[in-house]
Amino acid sequence: MTVLRYFLRDRRKSAFWWALGFFALAAFTCAFYPSIKGQQDLDQVVKDLPPAVQAMFGFESGISLSSAPGYLQARMFASLYPILLLVLAIGTGAGAIGGNEEDGGLELLLSNPISRLRVQAEQFSGLAVVVFVQGLLFCAFLLPLAAAFGALDGVSIAGLVAAAAGGVTLALLHGSLAFAVGSWTGRRSIAIGVSSAVAAAGYLAQGLLAATDVPGAIRDLTPWYWLLHENLLARGPNLSSWLPALVASFLVAAASTPRFLSRDLR
């Protein structure tokens, strides 16, 4: 696990700042909740929004925006939380194989008696650890803060953990895409560009498809739909919110392995 250890060691300082950012997100979001709690006028504003916008922010009929589940979903789990995780995952995934190759470190690493397959497997494991640890820390920050500000009323704790896991696996999927593109091309910039474009397109597509009469099987193909189609905070956990993205993450990363094993380094 030498490669994994060095991969994580190089990211210790940035991990602290990311954790601080997630703490700030949880603290400010929870602290603002008492000021809108019970304000039913917000629900009328939501009803007047286009269906596509409602879908993109995770609004669900019957769940008030001024309630804890509705507020946390719209303010955090359908917006800032997954976006922050996406930035972290895409940057980490692109900086693995692709970033190391651009910096010249990959060639030096492979001059040691270590296989390309091991390097790729351990760096992907490092990506997964980085994203999962930040998601775990976010839950550890959020639970006591939300309880202190009364933002757990009507919230299923198991559903909250599932929603956090959904954000983690969604981010890991796009981070895996950045990792795969970096492994395929050896370029960090291309990996960031492709995965960011896919993430943005998927987010827009989720909102547009939810507002149309397309068959449910088509909507189910959108990774953002897996996370946003149901308010897990109120409804409780659902495997479909995180399991498909987790499986897809490993498949996407593995798809780049034959190319990485056979191509010349740049």
Side-chain angles (χ1 to χ4, degrees):
M1 292 295 179
T2 303
V3 177
L4 174 60
R5 184 170 66 250
Y6 279 101
F7 185 90
L8 297 176
R9 187 196 65 179
D10 291 342
R11 288 158 178 79
R12 285 178 301 177
K13 291 183 179 179
S14 63
F16 169 79
W17 292 110
W18 276 104
L20 186 61
F22 281 109
F23 174 80
L25 172 63
F28 283 115
T29 302
C30 293
F32 191 67
Y33 174 65
S35 66
I36 71 163
K37 182 179 180 180
Q39 293 190 17
Q40 301 299 324
D41 292 344
L42 292 173
D43 296 327
Q44 186 58 48
V45 175
V46 171
K47 290 179 181 178
D48 294 337
L49 293 174
V53 176
Q54 294 184 30
M56 290 168 68
F57 283 94
F59 296 131
E60 186 173 339
S61 177
I63 300 178
S64 172
L65 182 60
S66 61
S67 69
Y71 171 77
L72 292 178
Q73 173 76 354
R75 177 77 172 174
M76 190 152 40
F77 286 102
S79 53
L80 295 176
Y81 169 68
I83 290 173
L84 282 178
L85 279 176
L86 276 169
V87 173
L88 170 63
I90 289 174
T92 304
I97 300 296
N100 282 345
E101 189 168 348
E102 280 191 347
D103 297 339
L106 184 61
E107 187 173 2
L108 180 62
L109 176 61
L110 291 174
S111 66
N112 295 284
I114 185 171
S115 68
R116 291 194 183 195
L117 181 60
R118 179 182 169 187
V119 169
Q120 191 184 41
E122 291 194 28
Q123 290 206 354
F124 178 76
S125 299
L127 164 65
V129 169
V130 167
V131 178
F132 274 93
V133 165
Q134 293 297 338
L136 182 63
L137 288 174
F138 178 73
C139 281
F141 297 145
L142 178 61
L143 286 172
L145 287 167
F149 289 99
L152 287 182
D153 297 338
V155 173
S156 163
I157 302 301
L160 186 150
V161 173
V168 166
T169 53
L170 176 74
L172 181 61
L173 173 57
H174 292 86
S176 298
L177 178 60
F179 179 86
V181 174
S183 298
W184 190 277
T185 65
R187 291 291 180 265
R188 178 195 285 114
S189 56
I190 297 175
I192 292 176
V194 170
S195 51
S196 298
V198 169
Y203 183 65
L204 293 174
Q206 185 271 334
L208 294 175
L209 291 175
T212 61
D213 294 328
V214 298
I218 296 178
R219 291 199 306 270
D220 290 347
L221 297 176
T222 308
W224 284 92
Y225 179 79
W226 304 337
L227 177 66
L228 300 180
H229 77 284
E230 186 177 34
N231 189 322
L232 301 176
L233 305 176
R235 307 298 185 192
N238 188 333
L239 283 178
S240 66
S241 66
W242 61 268
L243 185 58
L246 180 64
V247 173
S249 298
F250 288 96
L251 294 178
V252 168
S256 68
T257 299
R259 168 66 177 171
F260 177 62
L261 296 182
S262 62
R263 71 175 177 83
D264 294 331
L265 297 183
R266 296 177 181 271

